Structures are given as C-alpha cells and as structure tokens.
C-alpha cells in the first residue's frame, strides 16, 4: 500500500474484525495472537497492526490493549491485575501452529489444556478478564503449580478452527450435534491434543494431574479427546461446547477394552442460541449411560460468547478440587510404598535364605554345642527345611 509492505492475511483479518463498526477487545486479542503465530511479531506484522490502528475504528479499550502489546510484547492486564505471561511452543513434525504456554511460578505439578473456540486461537484464554487471568489471580495452586497449555487449531480461509463442518449449518437447532464434520480434520485435531496430554502425563508421571477443557468448538474437541483417551484423566471440561454425533458414533464403535470412565464437567448457557442447552442436557444423559461421572451446570442468563465470572469460578473450583485429590492420592501412594519398604527392612531372616551370616562369638559357641548334640538325621532334615 503506497509502496509500504504489510501482512495481507493479518490486514484482511483486521478489516473483517471491523465490519461491525469497531474492533472489540476480544477481536484485538485475536489480531495479536495471529501476529504472534510464529512465536514472535515481525516488523511487517507490527507495521500492519499499527496501520490497522490508524485506519480502522477500535474501541478505546481495544486500542489501548493493542498499543500496549505492541510496546511491551507481553499480555499485561489493567493496572492492579495479575500479569499473564507465556512462552510459545511448536511441536515437531506437526501441521498445527505454535501455541502459548503459561508456566507455573513454582514447581510443575498439574497441567490444564485449553482448546479455543472457532475463530480465536489460544489467545482467547489469555486476554484481560478471560479464564487464565481468573485462574491465576484467584487460585494460588493454579498460579504456583499448574502449567496452562493453549493449543491452536489450523487456519482455514482465514478462520482458526479445529475442524470444518459439512453440509447444512444446523447451529442453533435441536440437530446441531448431528451436523456432519470433516472426519479427517476432527481426527487430526483429537490426535494433536491427545499427543499433548500424553507428553504432559509423561512429565508429571500421572494422568490424574491433567485436565482437558474446551470452549464452544473447543468443547466439542475436549469431549471427543476425553472419549478417545486410552486412560482416565483428572477432569474433562466442556464450556458451552457440544458432544457431536460423530464423537458418539466413534465411541460406540470402539471395543469395551478401549473405553475408560472419565470425570466430565459440562456447562451451558440458558440464552445460548448456538449450542442449545437442551442438546447439552441430552449429551449429559448419554455420557452417564456410557458410565461417565458427569457434572452439569446451566447458567440461565449466559449466552454463547461472553466470559462469565460465575462459570469461570465453577470451572476453577472443579479443577482445583480434582488436582488436590490427585495430589493427596499420590502422597498416600508414596506413604504406602514407604510402609512396604519398612516392612521389608524388618522382615524375618527368611529374606536372607541361602546367605551365610557371620555369627557372634556367643551365638557361635551355642551353635557348635547344638551341632555336636544333634544326630546326622536331624541335621539332614534341618538342611531340607
């Protein structure tokens, strides 16, 4: 433009974000996350965002957010809020993009995997007032000991998503769960998240210290991942997501040995006009029939798109409860192992069968006298024993 190079994809996304009149804070967060897709913001991407700020209409909070990010390069909340910082990770040999990870301040004991909604990317959870800030500001356990991983879906026609839909759009209807999906997209997205869960469980030495959560389309993936995992995790969460018929069919076709009981938490919005609460209530009943432990919570005044403090508090409480339970179970297991070790150390002399001990002088004299008095038959019998 006028001889100056800009990032076409990023600029087009900014223009689409302004179609409603102004760019909101959440859309500004998406712009920043898109610019950081490669792990850093290039000079051209920085120039593009500055051009968007000067030519498009932003709300005052969104403009302040984007200018602050361009200046500092980190996600800082408003003054008085906790600072959220992350690093970028790209999995080797993966077609999925780099994604942000929030590391714990102290030792790593737990991992929370967050799957974003359609169109957003991992930055959805990292903005001011979003789930990560809520967790870190209100839970010391999460702040000090939980790694938060925000994997991202791939980009299709400038939209970040986990999978593409097929056929007629049935969102907002009682058949939204039955909408056809691109099976290959769905399978690859699940495998990507399952691989992250496996890596984290290997690091922690436990699957019960991991929670997998998703919002909207990310909730479709978190539930599918929970059903496909070859082991139970601490908690599977769907935040206004949908249990797709595709996932139910895949699970039903699996053998009994491949099915595992998961603890699952589902939330729904009473005013949600995308994934209807009635569909999610039906999903709860189906999951219970499959042997899952399901907690379902309907927030009457909640729509599909807003961050909600009550919902975040509900999810935060469930995560900390399961993580503390996993921690206490590990400690009890270690105590049992230690007790068994003590018993082994105090075990009778049979543990030393076949090994010769050097007798004390007193014991040696007594043994010699006993041996002299013993008959050859008694000695032979003793040897057999």
């Amino acid at each position: 433009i006028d001889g100056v190079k800009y990032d076409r994809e990023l600029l087009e996304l900014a223009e689409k974000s302004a179609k409603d009149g102004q760019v909101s804070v959440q859309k500004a967060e998406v712009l920043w996350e898109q610019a950081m897709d490669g792990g850093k913001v290039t000079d051209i991407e920085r120039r593009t965002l500055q051009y968007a700020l000067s030519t498009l209409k932003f709300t005052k909070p969104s403009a302040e957010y984007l200018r602050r990010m361009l200046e500092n390069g980190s996600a800082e909340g408003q003054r008085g809020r906790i600072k959220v910082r992350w690093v970028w990770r790209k999995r080797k040999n993966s077609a999925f993009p780099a994604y942000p990870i929030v590391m714990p301040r102290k030792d790593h004991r737990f991992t929370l995997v967050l799957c974003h909604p359609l169109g957003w990317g991992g930055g959805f959870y990292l903005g001011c007032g979003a789930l990560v800030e809520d967790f870190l500001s209100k839970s010391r356990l999460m702040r000090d000991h939980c790694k938060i991983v925000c994997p991202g879906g791939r980009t299709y026609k400038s939209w970040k998503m986990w999978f593409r839909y097929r056929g007629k759009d049935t969102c907002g209807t009682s058949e939204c769960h039955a909408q056809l999906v691109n099976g290959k997209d769905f399978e690859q997205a699940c495998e990507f998240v399952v691989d992250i869960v496996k890596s984290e469980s290997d690091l922690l030495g436990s699957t019960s210290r991991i929670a997998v959560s998703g919002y909207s389309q990310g909730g479709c993936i978190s539930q599918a991942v929970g059903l496909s995992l070859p082991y139970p995790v601490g908690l599977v969460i769907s935040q206004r997501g949908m249990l797709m018929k595709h996932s139910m069919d895949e699970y039903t076709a699996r053998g009994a040995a491949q099915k595992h009981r998961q603890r699952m938490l589902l939330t729904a919005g009473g005013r949600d006009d995308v994934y209807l609460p009635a569909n999610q209530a039906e999903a709860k009943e189906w999951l219970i029939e499959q042997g899952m432990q399901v907690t379902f919570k309907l927030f009457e005044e909640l729509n599909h798109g807003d961050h909600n403090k009550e919902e975040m508090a509900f999810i935060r409480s469930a995560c900390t409860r399961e993580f503390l339970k996993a921690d206490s179970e590990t400690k009890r297991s270690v105590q049992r192992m230690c007790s068994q070790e003590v018993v082994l150390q105090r075990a009778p002399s049979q543990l030393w069968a076949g090994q010769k001990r050097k007798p004390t002088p007193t014991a040696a004299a007594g043994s010699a006298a006993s041996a002299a008095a013993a008959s050859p038959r008694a000695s032979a019998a003793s040897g057999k024993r």
Side-chain angles (χ1 to χ4, degrees), residues 236-372:
V236 176
I237 304 163
S238 172
Q239 188 180 358
R240 287 172 270 170
M242 180 58 62
L243 178 61
M244 302 300 290
K245 185 177 183 298
H246 180 87
S247 301
M248 292 187 274
D249 291 343
E250 288 286 317
Y251 183 80
T252 303
R254 220 171 278 135
Q258 296 174 294
K259 298 178 180 179
H260 295 272
R261 192 178 186 185
Q262 300 283 9
R263 292 186 181 90
M264 305 186 77
L265 183 148
L266 314 180
T267 69
R271 297 185 177 181
D272 193 333
D273 58 356
V274 178
Y275 289 157
L276 303 183
N279 291 80
Q280 300 188 58
E282 290 174 2
K284 176 198 74 171
E285 297 301 327
W286 185 87
L287 289 166
I288 291 173
E289 289 176 5
Q290 307 309 310
M292 308 297 166
Q293 296 180 355
V294 184
T295 301
F296 178 79
K297 177 74 172 178
L298 175 66
F299 296 86
E300 293 288 354
E301 301 301 315
L302 187 58
N303 61 25
H304 188 71
D306 290 343
H307 293 305
N308 180 270
K309 291 183 179 179
E310 290 184 16
E311 184 188 40
M312 289 190 287
F314 181 67
I315 295 171
R316 183 180 69 248
S317 175
C319 285
T320 53
R321 183 169 59 249
E322 292 302 325
F323 286 160
L324 287 171
K325 185 191 297 183
D327 207 36
S328 63
E329 288 174 354
T330 302
K331 288 177 181 177
R332 285 197 295 270
S333 177
V334 170
Q335 288 172 351
R336 284 196 297 270
M337 289 174 65
C338 291
S339 300
Q340 290 170 358
E341 226 174 89
V342 170
V343 170
L344 288 172
Q345 290 172 359
R346 294 178 179 175
S349 58
Q350 282 91 330
L351 289 173
W352 298 88
Q355 295 186 19
K356 295 181 179 180
R357 296 186 183 180
K358 186 177 181 180
T360 59
T362 306
S367 298
S370 300

Side-chain angles (χ1 to χ4, degrees), residues 95-152:
F96 287 82
Y99 53 89
I101 297 176
V102 180
M103 298 301 294
R105 292 187 176 182
K106 297 182 181 178
D107 55 314
H108 176 207
R109 297 183 190 175
F110 316 101
T111 295
L112 173 62
V113 181
L114 298 174
C115 302
H116 64 77
L118 184 150
W120 289 90
F124 174 82
Y125 290 105
L126 302 174
C128 299
L131 192 69
V132 171
E133 184 188 76
D134 178 89
F135 276 32
L136 300 186
S137 62
K138 296 178 180 177
S139 171
R140 182 178 295 178
L141 179 141
M142 301 297 291
R143 183 170 61 250
D144 289 347
H145 304 294
C146 184
K147 179 199 287 188
I148 301 177
V149 182
C150 304

Side-chain angles (χ1 to χ4, degrees), residues 84-105:
V84 180
R85 293 190 174 91
W86 61 85
V87 296
W88 287 85
R89 183 71 51 80
K90 178 74 169 71
R91 298 189 77 79
K92 291 182 179 179
N93 304 319
S94 174
F96 287 82
Y99 53 89
I101 297 176
V102 180
M103 298 301 294
R105 292 187 176 182

